[in-house]
Amino acid sequence: MSETPRPNPYSAPKDTSAENLPTGNLAANPGWMVWTGRVISVLPILMLLMSATFKFLKPNEEMEKGLSHLGWQAGQMPTLGVVELICALLYAIPQTSVLGAILLTGYLGGATATHVRVGDPWIAPVILGGLVWFGLFLRDSRLRALVPWRFL
C-alpha cells in the first residue's frame, strides 16, 4: 500500500489568482512566541539606544584613547549616533522592523570588522546581531515562513 505524499507547506500555490493568495498572517503566531520575541528584541534596542546616546556626549580622555585605538575621531561620533539611532528606531517599529534588522546587520557588521581589524574582541556585535534576528524571527510569522526551521 503506497502512502500519499504530504503537501509541502512552503511551496507556492498552484493557483495564483488574486482570490487564492494568502492574506494577513501566513502562519499562526502564538502569543508566547510573539512576547518572547518582543522581550529578546528589547535587549538590542536598549543597548543600541544607550550606545547612540553615548555618541552624543562629549568624550573624556579615556574615551578619546579608545576612539583613536579603533581609528575613529570624536567628531565622527554624532554621525554614527544618528545612524545607530535611526536603525534602532526602524527595528523597534513593527511595520519597519525587517528594514531595521537589515540596516542593523550592516551597522553591526561594520562594528565587527572594526574590532577584528584592531585585534579587539569582536563577539559582542555578533551576539547583538543574532539577538536582533532571533527576536524578529520569533515575533514575525512572515519571517518564519520565509526562513523555516527544518528538523531532521
Side-chain angles (χ1 to χ4, degrees):
M1 187 182 264
S2 69
E3 258 184 64
T4 57
R6 293 187 302 175
N8 182 352
Y10 305 109
S11 63
K14 296 200 184 335
D15 182 9
T16 58
S17 58
E19 60 271 1
N20 290 328
L21 290 176
T23 58
N25 284 342
L26 296 175
N29 216 10
W32 70 267
M33 196 177 278
V34 172
W35 279 102
T36 303
R38 287 176 181 165
V39 168
I40 291 171
S41 294
V42 163
L43 298 172
I45 290 170
L46 291 176
M47 291 179 75
L48 291 162
L49 291 176
M50 181 184 69
S51 174
T53 302
F54 284 128
K55 287 178 174 61
F56 293 108
L57 300 177
K58 185 175 193 272
N60 60 24
E61 188 177 316
E62 184 79 19
M63 289 172 66
E64 290 272 357
K65 276 195 234 176
L67 288 174
S68 66
H69 171 70
L70 294 173
W72 293 100
Q73 299 172 4
Q76 297 169 315
M77 289 302 103
T79 304
L80 281 178
V82 169
V83 170
E84 192 170 8
L85 192 60
I86 289 171
C87 292
L89 290 176
L90 285 172
Y91 178 68
I93 300 169
Q95 293 86 348
T96 59
S97 59
V98 174
L99 174 62
I102 292 168
L103 294 174
L104 282 172
T105 301
Y107 183 85
L108 294 169
T112 302
T114 298
H115 287 288
V116 167
R117 183 179 55 81
V118 298
D120 282 353
W122 49 267
I123 196 71
V126 172
I127 290 173
L128 198 59
L131 287 173
V132 164
W133 281 103
F134 186 59
L136 186 58
F137 181 84
L138 290 176
R139 64 186 167 120
D140 193 335
S141 62
R142 298 169 304 164
L143 186 60
R144 286 195 310 278
L146 182 65
V147 185
W149 285 101
R150 296 181 188 219
F151 298 101
L152 299 174

